[in-house]
Amino acid sequence: MESQALLQKPKHITSLATSSVLLSVDINVWTATKQDRVVSDEIVVAKKADKDSGRFVKNLLANNVDHRRVINYRQSVYNWLQRRTYDWSAAQRCLPSIMLPTFMKEYRDHEANFYGLVDTFVRKYPSIVTDMAFVQGDLFERSEYPTPEHVRSKFSMRLFTSEVPLGDYRCTIAQELADDLFNNYNRQAEQIINDILSKQQHKLVNIMTSLSHCCDVDNVIDMEGQTKTKKRKIYDTTVQKALEMCEEFRSFNLANDAQLEDARRELEQVLQGVNADMLRESDTKRQEVKTGVDSILSKFRMPVAAEQ
């Protein structure tokens, strides 16, 4: 028999397990669409086409604005989730543990907004169905519209969380298989780490670029032809995001990337004691922040793979 070996887990997974959580958000909605087989058959016959060449799908609510708001908000939540978290696998996302309190507050706000839109839609639903009798014309079939209670049950928003799995990797297997599994598993872990680092680098560059832009001025020509300088608008959210990013990356630098840490530390120093009101009121402070941020950006170089 071949020699036995212990399958070891990559060191990165320990860091992930202690500094992050996995989560997913599942949002169910009622699309309010239904295939009309009768109309589909009429169309293919009229067009002398094969019966499987097409189908007619009815929009039962004809893009009602209240229903559309619910559908659109689902995408808004998914977009927020993409911004706040990092890729893991399939629907699961990776969130730094340090950001969990902020994430949960934002999630509860999104949940309240989602169900608020659902409640508004369901409250108006009976009158919407009545209107559809006129909007849909001969396509209207009252039996195709569920009760308000049934419609309400089709909408849900749920958050699922779990720990980064460690599993039992100390199983004794043949040396060749152990090496193969370890190498494959380690490549997957390294790819996750590299993807997270790449996203962190892009987020940091983007926020610093926004800060530099906001702290700059525009040269404008007035009605008398005189050139004057006009300060650009400072957004509270830009400064807040930069500060939050400094805090997050201080504890969540899985690759121990020196460049990321240096940029984070320098940005934190530049923004120490700074807020949006201060930047609006003090030209000196605006220039100090812009100069400091530009200095960091001049030294920060994105990896070639991340720029492609």
Side-chain angles (χ1 to χ4, degrees):
M1 179 178 290
E2 297 182 7
S3 61
Q4 303 293 302
L6 295 177
L7 178 61
Q8 302 294 322
K9 60 181 179 293
K11 294 180 180 179
H12 283 312
I13 295 302
T14 301
S15 297
L16 281 168
T18 57
S19 63
S20 59
V21 295
L22 300 183
L23 52 83
S24 63
V25 176
D26 185 22
I27 302 179
N28 293 316
V29 299
W30 179 45
T31 59
T33 58
K34 185 177 181 60
Q35 181 180 356
D36 191 318
R37 297 185 180 279
V38 174
V39 176
S40 297
D41 291 342
E42 291 177 353
I43 293 175
V44 296
V45 169
K47 296 298 182 180
K48 299 182 176 63
D50 185 271
K51 64 181 182 64
D52 295 322
S53 60
R55 64 177 182 172
F56 182 81
V57 178
K58 290 196 294 188
N59 185 343
L60 297 178
L61 301 180
N63 283 326
N64 170 264
V65 63
D66 292 293
H67 179 256
R68 183 53 51 188
R69 286 194 182 104
V70 180
I71 302 297
N72 290 343
Y73 198 76
R74 173 179 60 174
Q75 188 59 51
S76 296
V77 173
Y78 287 148
N79 291 343
W80 160 77
L81 189 64
Q82 290 283 329
R83 292 193 303 270
R84 267 301 184 193
T85 59
Y86 300 91
D87 291 337
W88 184 258
S89 64
Q92 279 192 312
R93 309 287 300 173
C94 180
L95 175 74
S97 298
I98 192 174
M99 297 304 297
L100 192 56
T102 300
F103 178 89
M104 289 307 302
K105 179 184 181 303
E106 293 177 352
Y107 173 79
R108 285 190 288 269
D109 290 342
H110 280 301
E111 186 179 45
N113 292 339
F114 175 77
Y115 282 117
L117 292 172
V118 172
D119 290 341
T120 298
F121 166 65
V122 174
R123 186 174 64 252
K124 297 181 179 180
Y125 177 71
S127 62
I128 294 173
V129 174
T130 300
D131 292 341
M132 289 303 105
F134 299 96
V135 174
Q136 298 280 12
D138 292 340
L139 293 176
F140 181 77
E141 291 287 345
R142 185 63 184 83
S143 61
E144 295 176 338
Y145 293 84
T147 65
E149 294 74 21
H150 190 192
V151 168
R152 182 64 179 76
S153 69
K154 292 178 177 289
F155 294 90
S156 65
M157 178 172 170
R158 294 176 293 178
L159 172 66
F160 299 93
T161 61
S162 63
E163 297 178 346
V164 175
L166 288 173
D168 183 5
Y169 299 98
R170 301 186 66 83
C171 51
T172 303
I173 56 177
Q175 179 67 48
E176 183 178 350
L177 179 58
D179 290 343
D180 183 58
L181 288 177
F182 170 77
N183 291 334
N184 181 66
Y185 189 74
N186 195 48
R187 284 194 299 271
Q188 293 176 1
E190 291 292 343
Q191 186 60 55
I192 290 173
I193 299 300
N194 290 336
D195 289 346
I196 289 176
L197 173 60
S198 177
K199 183 171 181 179
Q200 288 178 309
Q201 291 169 330
H202 279 285
K203 287 172 67 174
L204 194 59
V205 167
N206 287 342
I207 198 66
M208 288 193 292
T209 302
S210 295
L211 271 174
S212 176
H213 175 82
C214 291
C215 290
D216 207 348
V217 297
D218 291 315
N219 292 321
V220 297
I221 300 177
D222 61 17
M223 297 293 292
E224 299 177 354
Q226 299 295 318
T227 300
K228 294 184 177 181
T229 59
K230 179 181 179 182
K231 293 189 292 187
R232 291 173 180 169
K233 188 172 182 179
I234 300 290
Y235 295 93
D236 292 345
T237 54
T238 302
V239 179
Q240 186 59 35
K241 285 180 181 178
L243 292 171
E244 287 180 357
M245 210 170 292
C246 288
E247 180 182 2
E248 175 188 338
F249 293 173
R250 185 190 306 117
S251 302
F252 195 71
N253 185 349
L254 298 176
N256 292 321
D257 185 74
Q259 181 181 230
L260 181 67
E261 172 56 20
D262 289 345
R264 181 209 66 78
R265 187 179 62 254
E266 290 181 32
L267 179 60
E268 190 173 54
Q269 292 173 350
V270 169
L271 296 179
Q272 186 173 10
V274 173
N275 57 47
D277 288 336
M278 187 181 300
L279 295 178
R280 295 187 187 104
E281 297 169 3
S282 173
D283 292 344
T284 300
K285 182 56 67 175
R286 288 172 71 105
Q287 187 56 49
E288 287 179 0
V289 170
K290 176 171 174 54
T291 300
V293 170
D294 287 346
S295 175
I296 302 171
L297 284 170
S298 69
K299 295 179 290 185
F300 199 90
R301 293 290 180 267
M302 297 291 294
V304 174
E307 294 178 338
Q308 291 177 346

